[in-house]
Each structure stands twice: as C-alpha cells, then as structure tokens.
Amino acid sequence: MSDIRQARNALVNRILEGPGKTSPSERRAAFNNSGLAEPVGTLVDKVARHACSVAGEDIDAAKVSGLSEDQVFEIVVCAAIGQATRQYDAALAALESATGKE
Amino acid sequence: MRLAILDSSHGFGTKALFALIRTVSRQPVLDVVKLVKYRPDFYGAPMSKVTQEAMRGPSAWSVGDRELMAAFIAKTSQCEFCTKAHLAVAQRAYGNGKTASALLSDSSMTTIKDPLRATLLMLGKLTSEHTVNADDIRAVLAAGASRQQIEDALAVCFSFNVITRLADAFGFSVPGPEAFEAGAKYLLSRGYR
C-alpha cells in the first residue's frame, strides 16, 4: 500500500512554515483561500475553484499590485496545495464514514 | 509559461541538465520539469516525494491504472497538458493491449472494468465537485475496490489535484506528441523522483 501521509505533511509544512519570499501568514491565507486582498484574492480563488479559468491577466494583475514573480509562484503553489488538501481530507472523512474505522 | 522565472531563472547546474535533456531526447524540456526544478526546496522536491509514493509506491493498482487515473483527473480538470502527458504514460504502461485515450473517450467509460471504472467516477466527482460523500465511497466498495485501493486512488488524486492546478495557472505549453512520448518513457523508467 502506498502511504503519502508523511510526505504530504512534509510538503505542507515546508510551503507554509519554511523560508520564502512571502510571509507565512500570506502563504497560509492562500492555502486557505481566505483573507487576501484583491487582485491576489481573485487569482487564488480561481486556482482553487477552477484553475483552467486563470488567465495571464490574473497573473499580471498580481504582479502590478506589487508581488514579485517569486511571490506569485509561492502564492499559487499554496493555493493549489490548499484546495487539493481540502478535497483529500473530505474524501478520507467520507471513506472513514463509509467503512466505520480509521 | 506565465512566470518568466519558471522558464529561465534556474541555476547553472539545472540549465546544464536542461541542455542535456534537449540533446538526448531531441525534444523541448517540458514545463512541468521546469516547474519542479525551480527553487526545488520550496515545491519540487517535497512534492516529488508525494507523487512518487502515490504513483510508484506499492499498491494493488498497476502503474498503468494509476497513470490512467492521473489522465482522467486531468481531463476532468480540463488540463490539456496533464491529460496528454499521462495518457501517454498509461498507454506505454499498458502496452499494446489497450488504447488509453479510447478508454476515456466514452464519458461513462463502459469499456473499463470495475473496480477501476467506479474508482475513476468517484475521483471525477471529487475533482469536479471538490468533495465526495460516504455513499460515493460505498459505491466504489460495492464495485469491488478495497479500502486500501480507495486510499491509494485518493493519493493519486491529491497529487493531480495539485499538479493540474499549477499547469493551468502557470500556463504550461502543450508540445507535440513526440515530447510527451519522451516524457512518458522517462516517467516509466525513472518515476517522479
């Protein structure tokens, strides 16, 4: 059986708590898709909800607002991993509910 | 690629590696490789460990099945790059007996046997609706999947729910089939490390 728990925890800890060009609070906000000012909030929401709708203009708007490319990189990565984590956790909870065990 | 740093701000050693890849494969370096090699301590290295375990770790699902799951998750996400990339790997993993793209061409996937078909449908719902409930999971169990197979499939889904978002957000270029074939050959022989 494959087991991604340890590697996934390390990934999430790294992007949220490790060194970066954005603050841990900004990365946490992107991960949670919550509390980010525009236009970055719109970019993060698109990444989380319907990434195929992200356009070059969304990235450009984030840069015009003052973010460097490295900061946009970190914010988008955190947004993607945050949404995937919520989906994964929801599915594991459904699995636990369906099987009645840990 | 929508961020110039992902195209051209890698270190000297990585640029040399890219030159070697272009020479040996006679194909462009795929944008997904450029992404994982950019500041790899932040995203690429820890994410590769997750994906390697999900896609190549021990599992009752074959490598071909897991690559088909990745392609289906990507197709559901409307991510052209990842769909083509992982259909190519699934095709190569399955060999000549199956045509991976044909398996997914029918929306109800009637040519795919359970429990893989039921598992794919559940992963599709999780990807498009962002959640599943206990009844969705019970349907997969009733189709013959074990609890562990479902956990393994959810691990694949986690990885590709991340990767497809990044491919779309960063605007990965979609190269020709030869580049995806070269990538598939690499992923089957070396994995996601």
Side-chain angles (χ1 to χ4, degrees), chain A:
Chain A
M1 61 182 223
S2 63
D3 186 353
I4 65 167
R5 281 176 294 187
Q6 188 175 9
R8 198 174 65 86
N9 287 339
L11 169 70
V12 171
N13 287 337
R14 171 61 190 92
I15 62 163
L16 294 181
E17 307 296 339
K21 308 290 185 185
T22 49
S23 68
S25 63
E26 289 172 309
R27 280 177 262 156
R28 176 73 67 177
F31 186 93
N32 292 334
N33 187 18
S34 174
L36 284 163
E38 294 302 336
V40 181
T42 293
L43 170 62
V44 165
D45 193 58
K46 282 189 174 183
V47 172
R49 293 174 188 273
H50 36 83
C52 61
S53 72
V54 174
E57 290 77 10
D58 298 309
I59 301 284
D60 292 343
K63 290 162 62 177
V64 168
S65 77
L67 294 188
S68 68
E69 289 210 343
D70 270 308
Q71 289 173 318
V72 174
F73 165 69
E74 292 179 6
I75 291 292
V76 169
V77 166
C78 289
I81 294 173
Q83 181 62 37
T85 296
R86 286 187 287 280
Q87 293 175 200
Y88 182 70
D89 288 346
L92 285 182
L95 177 61
E96 185 176 347
S97 176
T99 58
K101 61 179 183 178
E102 190 70 32

Side-chain angles (χ1 to χ4, degrees), chain B residues 30 56 64 67-68 70-71 80-95 98-101 104 176-188 192:
Chain B
L30 296 175
R56 299 291 184 270
E67 292 290 346
L68 191 68
E80 184 182 5
F81 179 94
C82 295
T83 304
K84 289 182 173 177
H86 294 280
L87 277 177
V89 189
Q91 179 66 63
R92 189 172 276 266
Y94 281 140
K98 298 181 184 179
T99 303
S101 59
L104 299 186
E178 298 84 1
F180 285 125
E181 280 302 315
K185 189 176 178 183
Y186 179 90
L187 285 176
L188 272 186
Y192 291 81

Side-chain angles (χ1 to χ4, degrees), chain B residues 133-145:
Chain B
N133 59 37
D135 285 341
D136 298 317
I137 298 293
R138 289 189 190 101
V140 183
L141 292 165

